[in-house]
Amino acid sequence: MTQKCLYLLCATLMACPPLVAQSSSPAVPPVQNVQTAPITIQQAVDRALTGNPSLAAAREHLSAVHATMLTAKARQNPSLTLLGQGVTLPEINNNGGNPYYYSANVSRLFERGQKRRWRMDGAADTADVTESQLHDQERQLVLNVRQAFTNMLAAKAALGIAEENLADYRKTLDLSKAQLDAGAITRTDYERIDLQLAQFEADDDAARLNMQQTSAQLQQLFGVDHPSPTFDVTGTLEPPPLTLTMADAENRALAARPDYQAAKQSLLLSQANARFAIASGTADPTVASEYERSGADNTFGVSVQIPLRIFDRNQGEKERTRYEVDSSRFAVTAARNQVVSDVDQAWLALNTAQRQAVRYNTHYLAEAGRVRDNLQFSYRNGNSTLLDYLDALRDYRSIHLSSLNANVQVWLAIHQLSYATATDIIP
């Protein structure tokens, strides 16, 4: 009987489906680093204008300044005063009693001298100045993004140069090892070649670190707190042709520079404040009407209260705002001179960078490449010395990086001129 029961139990267990441990929450797929597509310089600018937290704070501040215009538009509120005195309470089994005396008073202050108008103008001019300052902050952010983008492109190109030089030199080192094994060169010559590998490896490490740092700096402008290691950019460092003249650049700057616009708007604000100070020296009457009931008598009256501006006629504010207007006029002139100076200096820097880039790209880079290739071929075939070959490698590396830096300086000068004119000078 016992064996039969055991047999039935085993059969039942074999027929049942296996038990599977189930989790109370669904399985979460592992996080994978997704390679993002490289972005262009315009995409980088758009992303910064959208996500930069400092710029977002400035936009909220502008909204707060616009809200002050509602306060400036408000008119003076009337005042209501209710008064009751000598109120008698009703006795028991009596029809009740009435207040002995009560009154109602309504009054309102009427502003003279168009104070409300000048107050509204001052609030509107303040909002205009703040908006121009916001545009100037956007202009500064665009410059920072373009410079960071160009620096990252340069770091990316420098890393490519370092990797190319390292790979090419390792080929030379392998060839030298074969020559050492064949007895064609001495171990001292081979070790001198091997020691130079440390410089190429150090250049590669430094270029890789610079690439990572410039990437983090650019992503920080986007409002990213933890930079992505897969972030990449795309673009060219070849200097573009420009047809703009210095006079055109100056005219563009004077028409578009937000800091110059803010200076002119500050003059309007000072003038509005001066007119408000003059208006504040006028007396504002308060007109009131009052109804009174005393016992069975009803009375109605009207009163006008006018402050006598004998001693205080707002002389101090009138004088202060007059000087502020003169100060703002000089500030407009200074801002205009600064705009022209910024454009001229950026223009001279761009011309100098263009000349240097032309020299490197059309002469020195190709010449250094030919010298390196010739001495490399000659050394590998035993027709030149080791020192000549190593000098050629150093010269080519230096000229190649100088050529890259010359192109970068052209782009940085273009960004600076665009910043000085507050426009895109590249068609």
Side-chain angles (χ1 to χ4, degrees):
M1 183 66 180
T2 303
Q3 293 179 351
K4 183 177 181 181
C5 292
L6 292 175
Y7 174 78
L8 292 175
L9 179 60
C10 293
T12 303
L13 292 174
M14 294 178 61
C16 292
L19 296 177
V20 179
Q22 297 182 354
S23 175
S24 58
S25 60
V28 179
V31 179
Q32 298 179 354
N33 290 329
V34 180
Q35 177 68 33
T36 58
I39 65 173
T40 62
I41 187 170
Q42 187 57 47
Q43 290 174 334
V45 169
D46 295 339
R47 186 172 174 182
L49 292 176
T50 302
N52 186 269
S54 298
L55 194 60
R59 291 194 181 103
E60 292 300 319
H61 175 66
L62 176 61
S63 300
V65 173
H66 277 293
T68 61
M69 298 174 62
L70 300 177
T71 304
K73 290 174 58 178
R75 300 179 183 272
Q76 295 294 327
N77 290 322
S79 299
L80 173 63
T81 304
L82 299 177
L83 177 62
Q85 293 180 349
V87 179
T88 58
L89 297 177
E91 298 179 357
I92 300 176
N93 299 326
N94 193 359
N95 292 330
N98 294 320
Y100 178 75
Y101 171 84
Y102 57 84
S103 67
N105 180 284
V106 178
S107 63
R108 182 179 182 274
L109 183 141
F110 290 87
E111 293 182 320
R112 297 177 61 247
Q114 296 182 321
K115 293 184 181 66
R116 179 172 175 267
R117 173 187 174 184
W118 306 132
R119 189 165 57 242
M120 291 171 57
D121 286 352
D125 292 336
T126 301
D128 292 340
V129 172
T130 306
E131 186 172 1
S132 295
Q133 291 172 346
L134 171 62
H135 294 330
D136 196 52
Q137 187 171 347
E138 291 175 347
R139 180 174 69 106
Q140 182 65 55
L141 177 62
V142 170
L143 172 65
N144 294 338
V145 171
R146 287 173 173 172
Q147 289 177 338
F149 186 94
T150 302
N151 289 333
M152 185 174 177
L153 271 183
K156 186 178 179 180
L159 178 60
I161 294 174
E163 291 177 344
E164 178 185 356
N165 291 337
L166 179 60
D168 188 67
Y169 193 79
R170 280 174 174 166
K171 294 178 182 178
T172 301
L173 187 62
D174 294 339
L175 178 61
S176 301
K177 183 64 170 61
Q179 292 176 342
L180 174 65
D181 295 339
I185 61 175
T186 64
R187 176 163 293 277
T188 301
D189 289 339
Y190 172 77
E191 289 178 349
R192 293 178 65 183
I193 297 175
D194 184 60
L195 288 175
Q196 291 295 321
L197 181 63
Q199 182 62 46
F200 287 95
E201 291 174 339
D203 291 344
D204 183 76
D205 292 337
R208 194 173 304 277
L209 175 61
N210 188 35
M211 175 69 178
Q212 296 170 349
Q213 291 176 338
T214 54
S215 175
Q217 292 170 359
L218 179 57
Q219 294 182 67
Q220 183 184 9
L221 296 174
F222 300 158
V224 176
D225 55 350
H226 291 84
S228 171
T230 60
F231 176 76
D232 195 10
V233 296
T234 181
T236 179
L237 290 175
E238 291 296 327
L242 298 177
T243 59
L244 189 69
T245 64
M246 182 183 291
D248 293 337
E250 291 177 354
N251 293 332
R252 284 190 184 186
L254 292 174
R257 279 278 290 263
D259 54 342
Y260 181 50
Q261 300 300 322
K264 294 190 291 185
Q265 291 162 350
S266 296
L267 174 59
L268 298 178
L269 175 59
S270 299
Q271 293 172 343
N273 291 335
R275 289 189 289 264
F276 182 74
I278 295 174
S280 298
T282 59
D284 297 332
T286 300
V287 180
S289 61
E290 185 174 16
Y291 168 76
E292 295 180 357
R293 181 178 178 86
S294 179
D297 297 329
N298 297 314
T299 60
F300 179 80
V302 177
S303 65
V304 178
Q305 180 183 359
I306 302 176
L308 300 179
R309 307 297 295 267
I310 298 175
F311 304 106
D312 181 10
R313 297 186 301 276
N314 208 34
Q315 301 95 322
E317 281 299 300
K318 291 178 183 178
E319 193 73 5
R320 184 190 66 82
T321 53
R322 184 175 67 84
Y323 285 116
E324 289 293 341
V325 171
D326 295 337
S327 175
S328 297
R329 287 197 178 98
F330 288 117
V332 171
T333 303
R336 189 184 189 282
N337 294 341
Q338 185 65 48
V339 168
V340 176
S341 177
D342 290 344
V343 172
D344 293 347
Q345 293 182 30
W347 184 268
L348 295 176
L350 176 58
N351 285 340
T352 302
Q354 286 177 327
R355 289 195 299 270
Q356 291 179 353
V358 168
R359 287 198 298 267
Y360 277 105
N361 294 332
T362 60
H363 178 67
Y364 294 119
L365 181 60
E367 187 176 47
R370 289 194 301 269
V371 171
R372 181 204 61 174
D373 294 340
N374 292 337
L375 286 176
Q376 183 183 64
F377 178 81
S378 178
Y379 171 73
R380 290 178 178 178
N381 289 274
N383 297 325
S384 63
T385 64
L386 173 63
L387 291 178
D388 292 337
Y389 173 56
L390 295 179
D391 288 339
L393 286 180
R394 283 191 293 267
D395 291 342
Y396 176 76
R397 182 171 70 246
S398 176
I399 293 297
H400 202 171
L401 291 177
S402 297
S403 175
L404 174 63
N405 184 64
N407 292 340
V408 171
Q409 292 304 315
V410 172
W411 276 102
L412 292 179
I414 290 174
H415 299 331
Q416 189 66 37
L417 184 58
S418 296
Y419 172 74
T421 59
T423 58
D424 292 331
I425 66 172
I426 300 178

PDB file of all heavy atoms in Angstrom, residues 129-146:
ATOM      1  N   VAL A 129      14.467  97.923 -21.257  1.00  0.00           N
ATOM      2  CA  VAL A 129      15.879  97.791 -20.901  1.00  0.00           C
ATOM      3  C   VAL A 129      16.186  96.355 -20.466  1.00  0.00           C
ATOM      4  O   VAL A 129      17.198  95.760 -20.869  1.00  0.00           O
ATOM      5  CB  VAL A 129      16.253  98.791 -19.791  1.00  0.00           C
ATOM      6  CG1 VAL A 129      17.665  98.517 -19.273  1.00  0.00           C
ATOM      7  CG2 VAL A 129      16.156 100.220 -20.302  1.00  0.00           C
ATOM      8  N   THR A 130      15.300  95.783 -19.654  1.00  0.00           N
ATOM      9  CA  THR A 130      15.512  94.410 -19.185  1.00  0.00           C
ATOM     10  C   THR A 130      15.469  93.418 -20.342  1.00  0.00           C
ATOM     11  O   THR A 130      16.254  92.456 -20.384  1.00  0.00           O
ATOM     12  CB  THR A 130      14.441  94.044 -18.148  1.00  0.00           C
ATOM     13  OG1 THR A 130      14.441  95.024 -17.096  1.00  0.00           O
ATOM     14  CG2 THR A 130      14.718  92.679 -17.540  1.00  0.00           C
ATOM     15  N   GLU A 131      14.586  93.653 -21.303  1.00  0.00           N
ATOM     16  CA  GLU A 131      14.520  92.763 -22.463  1.00  0.00           C
ATOM     17  C   GLU A 131      15.786  92.861 -23.308  1.00  0.00           C
ATOM     18  O   GLU A 131      16.307  91.844 -23.798  1.00  0.00           O
ATOM     19  CB  GLU A 131      13.293  93.095 -23.299  1.00  0.00           C
ATOM     20  CG  GLU A 131      13.059  92.131 -24.445  1.00  0.00           C
ATOM     21  CD  GLU A 131      11.734  92.369 -25.145  1.00  0.00           C
ATOM     22  OE1 GLU A 131      11.000  93.299 -24.742  1.00  0.00           O
ATOM     23  OE2 GLU A 131      11.426  91.626 -26.098  1.00  0.00           O
ATOM     24  N   SER A 132      16.300  94.065 -23.488  1.00  0.00           N
ATOM     25  CA  SER A 132      17.555  94.222 -24.227  1.00  0.00           C
ATOM     26  C   SER A 132      18.709  93.558 -23.482  1.00  0.00           C
ATOM     27  O   SER A 132      19.594  92.957 -24.098  1.00  0.00           O
ATOM     28  CB  SER A 132      17.850  95.707 -24.446  1.00  0.00           C
ATOM     29  OG  SER A 132      16.875  96.301 -25.283  1.00  0.00           O
ATOM     30  N   GLN A 133      18.715  93.648 -22.159  1.00  0.00           N
ATOM     31  CA  GLN A 133      19.745  92.963 -21.377  1.00  0.00           C
ATOM     32  C   GLN A 133      19.632  91.448 -21.517  1.00  0.00           C
ATOM     33  O   GLN A 133      20.647  90.739 -21.531  1.00  0.00           O
ATOM     34  CB  GLN A 133      19.631  93.387 -19.915  1.00  0.00           C
ATOM     35  CG  GLN A 133      20.010  94.832 -19.663  1.00  0.00           C
ATOM     36  CD  GLN A 133      19.718  95.294 -18.246  1.00  0.00           C
ATOM     37  OE1 GLN A 133      18.996  94.618 -17.501  1.00  0.00           O
ATOM     38  NE2 GLN A 133      20.264  96.435 -17.857  1.00  0.00           N
ATOM     39  N   LEU A 134      18.393  90.946 -21.630  1.00  0.00           N
ATOM     40  CA  LEU A 134      18.206  89.515 -21.877  1.00  0.00           C
ATOM     41  C   LEU A 134      18.783  89.132 -23.239  1.00  0.00           C
ATOM     42  O   LEU A 134      19.472  88.105 -23.364  1.00  0.00           O
ATOM     43  CB  LEU A 134      16.722  89.167 -21.812  1.00  0.00           C
ATOM     44  CG  LEU A 134      16.339  87.746 -22.250  1.00  0.00           C
ATOM     45  CD1 LEU A 134      16.983  86.704 -21.346  1.00  0.00           C
ATOM     46  CD2 LEU A 134      14.831  87.571 -22.265  1.00  0.00           C
ATOM     47  N   HIS A 135      18.519  89.945 -24.261  1.00  0.00           N
ATOM     48  CA  HIS A 135      19.085  89.665 -25.583  1.00  0.00           C
ATOM     49  C   HIS A 135      20.609  89.723 -25.554  1.00  0.00           C
ATOM     50  O   HIS A 135      21.279  88.953 -26.255  1.00  0.00           O
ATOM     51  CB  HIS A 135      18.540  90.662 -26.603  1.00  0.00           C
ATOM     52  CG  HIS A 135      17.072  90.535 -26.858  1.00  0.00           C
ATOM     53  ND1 HIS A 135      16.409  89.330 -26.756  1.00  0.00           N
ATOM     54  CD2 HIS A 135      16.124  91.465 -27.187  1.00  0.00           C
ATOM     55  CE1 HIS A 135      15.128  89.500 -27.029  1.00  0.00           C
ATOM     56  NE2 HIS A 135      14.922  90.783 -27.283  1.00  0.00           N
ATOM     57  N   ASP A 136      21.161  90.615 -24.741  1.00  0.00           N
ATOM     58  CA  ASP A 136      22.609  90.690 -24.631  1.00  0.00           C
ATOM     59  C   ASP A 136      23.160  89.445 -23.939  1.00  0.00           C
ATOM     60  O   ASP A 136      24.235  88.946 -24.297  1.00  0.00           O
ATOM     61  CB  ASP A 136      22.997  91.945 -23.846  1.00  0.00           C
ATOM     62  CG  ASP A 136      24.466  92.288 -24.017  1.00  0.00           C
ATOM     63  OD1 ASP A 136      24.935  92.378 -25.165  1.00  0.00           O
ATOM     64  OD2 ASP A 136      25.158  92.456 -22.993  1.00  0.00           O
ATOM     65  N   GLN A 137      22.430  88.929 -22.967  1.00  0.00           N
ATOM     66  CA  GLN A 137      22.842  87.685 -22.319  1.00  0.00           C
ATOM     67  C   GLN A 137      22.753  86.521 -23.295  1.00  0.00           C
ATOM     68  O   GLN A 137      23.612  85.624 -23.296  1.00  0.00           O
ATOM     69  CB  GLN A 137      21.973  87.419 -21.093  1.00  0.00           C
ATOM     70  CG  GLN A 137      22.423  86.240 -20.249  1.00  0.00           C
ATOM     71  CD  GLN A 137      21.668  86.134 -18.941  1.00  0.00           C
ATOM     72  OE1 GLN A 137      20.970  87.063 -18.527  1.00  0.00           O
ATOM     73  NE2 GLN A 137      21.783  85.000 -18.276  1.00  0.00           N
ATOM     74  N   GLU A 138      21.735  86.507 -24.142  1.00  0.00           N
ATOM     75  CA  GLU A 138      21.644  85.479 -25.182  1.00  0.00           C
ATOM     76  C   GLU A 138      22.818  85.587 -26.149  1.00  0.00           C
ATOM     77  O   GLU A 138      23.388  84.568 -26.574  1.00  0.00           O
ATOM     78  CB  GLU A 138      20.323  85.623 -25.928  1.00  0.00           C
ATOM     79  CG  GLU A 138      19.089  85.275 -25.113  1.00  0.00           C
ATOM     80  CD  GLU A 138      17.806  85.551 -25.871  1.00  0.00           C
ATOM     81  OE1 GLU A 138      17.875  86.231 -26.924  1.00  0.00           O
ATOM     82  OE2 GLU A 138      16.729  85.101 -25.408  1.00  0.00           O
ATOM     83  N   ARG A 139      23.181  86.820 -26.496  1.00  0.00           N
ATOM     84  CA  ARG A 139      24.329  87.035 -27.394  1.00  0.00           C
ATOM     85  C   ARG A 139      25.610  86.484 -26.771  1.00  0.00           C
ATOM     86  O   ARG A 139      26.420  85.841 -27.455  1.00  0.00           O
ATOM     87  CB  ARG A 139      24.452  88.527 -27.680  1.00  0.00           C
ATOM     88  CG  ARG A 139      25.590  88.923 -28.601  1.00  0.00           C
ATOM     89  CD  ARG A 139      25.514  90.406 -28.919  1.00  0.00           C
ATOM     90  NE  ARG A 139      25.826  91.205 -27.759  1.00  0.00           N
ATOM     91  CZ  ARG A 139      26.966  91.866 -27.571  1.00  0.00           C
ATOM     92  NH1 ARG A 139      27.919  91.811 -28.492  1.00  0.00           N
ATOM     93  NH2 ARG A 139      27.171  92.582 -26.495  1.00  0.00           N
ATOM     94  N   GLN A 140      25.795  86.710 -25.479  1.00  0.00           N
ATOM     95  CA  GLN A 140      26.977  86.189 -24.796  1.00  0.00           C
ATOM     96  C   GLN A 140      26.959  84.663 -24.752  1.00  0.00           C
ATOM     97  O   GLN A 140      28.000  84.007 -24.943  1.00  0.00           O
ATOM     98  CB  GLN A 140      27.041  86.754 -23.382  1.00  0.00           C
ATOM     99  CG  GLN A 140      28.266  86.317 -22.584  1.00  0.00           C
ATOM    100  CD  GLN A 140      29.554  86.841 -23.172  1.00  0.00           C
ATOM    101  OE1 GLN A 140      29.717  88.040 -23.362  1.00  0.00           O
ATOM    102  NE2 GLN A 140      30.497  85.943 -23.454  1.00  0.00           N
ATOM    103  N   LEU A 141      25.787  84.092 -24.532  1.00  0.00           N
ATOM    104  CA  LEU A 141      25.682  82.634 -24.493  1.00  0.00           C
ATOM    105  C   LEU A 141      25.982  82.031 -25.865  1.00  0.00           C
ATOM    106  O   LEU A 141      26.670  81.006 -25.960  1.00  0.00           O
ATOM    107  CB  LEU A 141      24.280  82.226 -24.028  1.00  0.00           C
ATOM    108  CG  LEU A 141      23.990  80.723 -24.007  1.00  0.00           C
ATOM    109  CD1 LEU A 141      24.922  80.010 -23.029  1.00  0.00           C
ATOM    110  CD2 LEU A 141      22.530  80.458 -23.638  1.00  0.00           C
ATOM    111  N   VAL A 142      25.485  82.654 -26.917  1.00  0.00           N
ATOM    112  CA  VAL A 142      25.753  82.155 -28.272  1.00  0.00           C
ATOM    113  C   VAL A 142      27.250  82.187 -28.559  1.00  0.00           C
ATOM    114  O   VAL A 142      27.806  81.240 -29.143  1.00  0.00           O
ATOM    115  CB  VAL A 142      24.972  82.988 -29.308  1.00  0.00           C
ATOM    116  CG1 VAL A 142      25.424  82.652 -30.730  1.00  0.00           C
ATOM    117  CG2 VAL A 142      23.471  82.731 -29.176  1.00  0.00           C
ATOM    118  N   LEU A 143      27.922  83.264 -28.135  1.00  0.00           N
ATOM    119  CA  LEU A 143      29.374  83.327 -28.320  1.00  0.00           C
ATOM    120  C   LEU A 143      30.074  82.206 -27.561  1.00  0.00           C
ATOM    121  O   LEU A 143      30.961  81.533 -28.107  1.00  0.00           O
ATOM    122  CB  LEU A 143      29.897  84.685 -27.851  1.00  0.00           C
ATOM    123  CG  LEU A 143      31.427  84.825 -27.818  1.00  0.00           C
ATOM    124  CD1 LEU A 143      32.006  84.728 -29.219  1.00  0.00           C
ATOM    125  CD2 LEU A 143      31.841  86.133 -27.157  1.00  0.00           C
ATOM    126  N   ASN A 144      29.672  81.976 -26.315  1.00  0.00           N
ATOM    127  CA  ASN A 144      30.302  80.920 -25.518  1.00  0.00           C
ATOM    128  C   ASN A 144      30.081  79.546 -26.149  1.00  0.00           C
ATOM    129  O   ASN A 144      30.993  78.708 -26.160  1.00  0.00           O
ATOM    130  CB  ASN A 144      29.745  80.945 -24.101  1.00  0.00           C
ATOM    131  CG  ASN A 144      30.122  82.210 -23.349  1.00  0.00           C
ATOM    132  OD1 ASN A 144      31.095  82.882 -23.700  1.00  0.00           O
ATOM    133  ND2 ASN A 144      29.360  82.545 -22.335  1.00  0.00           N
ATOM    134  N   VAL A 145      28.883  79.314 -26.673  1.00  0.00           N
ATOM    135  CA  VAL A 145      28.593  78.019 -27.295  1.00  0.00           C
ATOM    136  C   VAL A 145      29.425  77.846 -28.561  1.00  0.00           C
ATOM    137  O   VAL A 145      30.012  76.777 -28.797  1.00  0.00           O
ATOM    138  CB  VAL A 145      27.096  77.903 -27.601  1.00  0.00           C
ATOM    139  CG1 VAL A 145      26.810  76.671 -28.454  1.00  0.00           C
ATOM    140  CG2 VAL A 145      26.297  77.830 -26.314  1.00  0.00           C
ATOM    141  N   ARG A 146      29.489  78.878 -29.377  1.00  0.00           N
ATOM    142  CA  ARG A 146      30.259  78.772 -30.616  1.00  0.00           C
ATOM    143  C   ARG A 146      31.742  78.566 -30.328  1.00  0.00           C
ATOM    144  O   ARG A 146      32.417  77.782 -31.011  1.00  0.00           O
ATOM    145  CB  ARG A 146      30.043  80.026 -31.461  1.00  0.00           C
ATOM    146  CG  ARG A 146      28.657  80.092 -32.101  1.00  0.00           C
ATOM    147  CD  ARG A 146      28.420  81.419 -32.783  1.00  0.00           C
ATOM    148  NE  ARG A 146      27.162  81.428 -33.533  1.00  0.00           N
ATOM    149  CZ  ARG A 146      26.627  82.494 -34.104  1.00  0.00           C
ATOM    150  NH1 ARG A 146      27.253  83.660 -34.013  1.00  0.00           N
ATOM    151  NH2 ARG A 146      25.480  82.410 -34.760  1.00  0.00           N
TER     152      ARG A 146
END
